[in-house]
Amino acid sequence: MSDPAVDPEEVRHVADLARVDLADDEIERFTEQFGDILDAFEALDDVPETEREADLSNVMRPDEIRESLSQEDALQNASDTEEGQFKGPKVS
């Protein structure tokens, strides 16, 4: 049997980095689960490569100047405005 892909010390290290406290039984369970996840990623190596689609092109329409709301109409329902602009709450 080969060495496991992930050992409990690595799980403890990742848990410490994430600031997550894990009990011993959780560490065992996560060690198995991380190994299963890595095995699933290794299975992707068996997926054959395919021809990729042609490079994507911009499908956005060009900008066009059209009639829109006046500044007064755009601000009429705003709860707070200042010097003709929307005013939001202070963020510290």
Side-chain angles (χ1 to χ4, degrees):
M1 189 167 157
S2 64
D3 291 335
V6 179
D7 64 37
E9 283 308 309
E10 289 175 306
V11 173
R12 282 188 183 89
H13 177 69
V14 171
D16 286 343
L17 291 174
R19 295 186 171 98
V20 175
D21 292 326
L22 295 178
D24 289 339
D25 62 321
E26 292 174 312
I27 289 174
E28 287 180 34
R29 187 175 46 200
F30 283 124
T31 300
E32 291 177 29
Q33 290 176 348
F34 285 158
D36 292 342
I37 291 168
L38 292 176
D39 289 342
F41 275 103
E42 285 180 9
L44 293 176
D45 291 336
D46 297 334
V47 176
E49 291 185 24
T50 60
E51 291 291 323
R52 66 183 197 104
E53 294 180 17
D55 290 337
L56 297 177
S57 60
N58 187 358
V59 295
M60 303 292 283
R61 63 171 173 74
D63 289 339
E64 297 173 3
I65 298 175
R66 301 187 312 187
E67 188 176 331
S68 61
L69 294 175
S70 68
Q71 187 175 16
E72 183 179 293
D73 288 340
L75 295 173
Q76 74 181 0
N77 292 324
S79 59
D80 198 7
T81 63
E82 184 176 291
E83 297 179 12
Q85 298 179 4
F86 292 98
K87 182 176 179 186
K90 291 183 180 181
V91 179
S92 56

